[in-house]
Amino acid sequence: MHDDDNDFSLTGFVNLETCTLRFAFGEMCVAANQSLSWITVIVDQLTSPLLRTITISLVVDNVEDLRSLNSECAVRELTTAYFDDMRVLDWGAIEKTVSKGSLGSLQKIVLEGQGSRELLTEHIRTTCPTVHSRSLISLVPVKRHPEWMNL
């Protein structure tokens, strides 16, 4: 998706009850990855007052084969993002979106990832007190290679 030619929008889907968003980025899950901002842009487009659950699945280049860093011809392997790395998502923007009145029925945001959940849980608690107090975020471990990647 590119800023200048993007006409993708979810704003017309006002009767959604659940929404699963799957993102595959060829970059790492780090603050410098500008592609990650699309997650909050797309979540912010959700306006259904019936929406109860949003599921976000993210696969990235976790650079687990460090040999690929030294090779121009390296094949990047996309795998489920680590919960620890997901702290770089714009949680303030996510909280703002969740707090707006158009998502009044929202009961859960399921974030799929791998690894330890403690650091992300603490980050959400301090960064998004409203979301945390409502217990909206559910961190769900999934396989390293999610099945939807094979479709």
Side-chain angles (χ1 to χ4, degrees), residues 137-149:
I137 306 289
S138 177
L139 306 179
V140 177
V142 295
K143 294 179 183 177
R144 177 176 161 77
H145 297 282
E147 299 198 12
W148 62 264
M149 290 282 299

Side-chain angles (χ1 to χ4, degrees), residues 47-73:
T47 58
S48 173
L50 306 174
L51 189 62
R52 291 187 312 266
T53 304
I54 300 170
T55 301
I56 299 173
S57 184
L58 174 62
V59 295
V60 295
D61 181 2
N62 284 312
V63 191
E64 297 188 274
D65 181 359
L66 295 179
R67 294 174 297 176
S68 67
L69 291 175
N70 295 324
S71 173
E72 292 177 8
C73 302

Side-chain angles (χ1 to χ4, degrees), residues 77-134:
E77 180 183 14
L78 301 184
T79 56
T80 299
Y82 285 97
F83 289 118
D84 286 352
D85 295 341
M86 289 187 222
R87 291 177 292 163
V88 301
L89 297 178
D90 189 348
W91 288 100
I94 292 171
E95 180 170 54
K96 184 178 175 184
T97 296
V98 168
S99 299
K100 69 182 179 181
S102 60
L103 296 178
S105 296
L106 190 64
Q107 298 171 357
K108 191 66 61 184
I109 298 174
V110 176
L111 190 62
E112 297 179 341
Q114 66 174 323
S116 174
R117 294 173 269 186
E118 286 78 23
L119 289 176
L120 181 56
T121 300
E122 180 61 23
H123 182 74
I124 292 169
R125 186 183 69 74
T126 57
T127 307
C128 309
T130 302
V131 168
H132 180 73
S133 68
R134 290 177 56 195

Side-chain angles (χ1 to χ4, degrees), residues 7-69:
D7 60 356
F8 178 82
S9 177
L10 293 174
T11 56
F13 295 93
V14 296
N15 291 319
L16 288 177
E17 294 181 15
T18 64
C19 182
T20 299
L21 302 171
R22 296 175 174 152
F23 299 91
F25 298 125
E27 303 104 353
M28 296 171 27
C29 192
V30 294
N33 179 350
Q34 296 299 308
S35 297
L36 293 174
S37 65
W38 281 108
I39 295 172
T40 53
V41 167
I42 292 173
V43 169
D44 192 47
Q45 293 178 4
L46 296 171
T47 58
S48 173
L50 306 174
L51 189 62
R52 291 187 312 266
T53 304
I54 300 170
T55 301
I56 299 173
S57 184
L58 174 62
V59 295
V60 295
D61 181 2
N62 284 312
V63 191
E64 297 188 274
D65 181 359
L66 295 179
R67 294 174 297 176
S68 67
L69 291 175

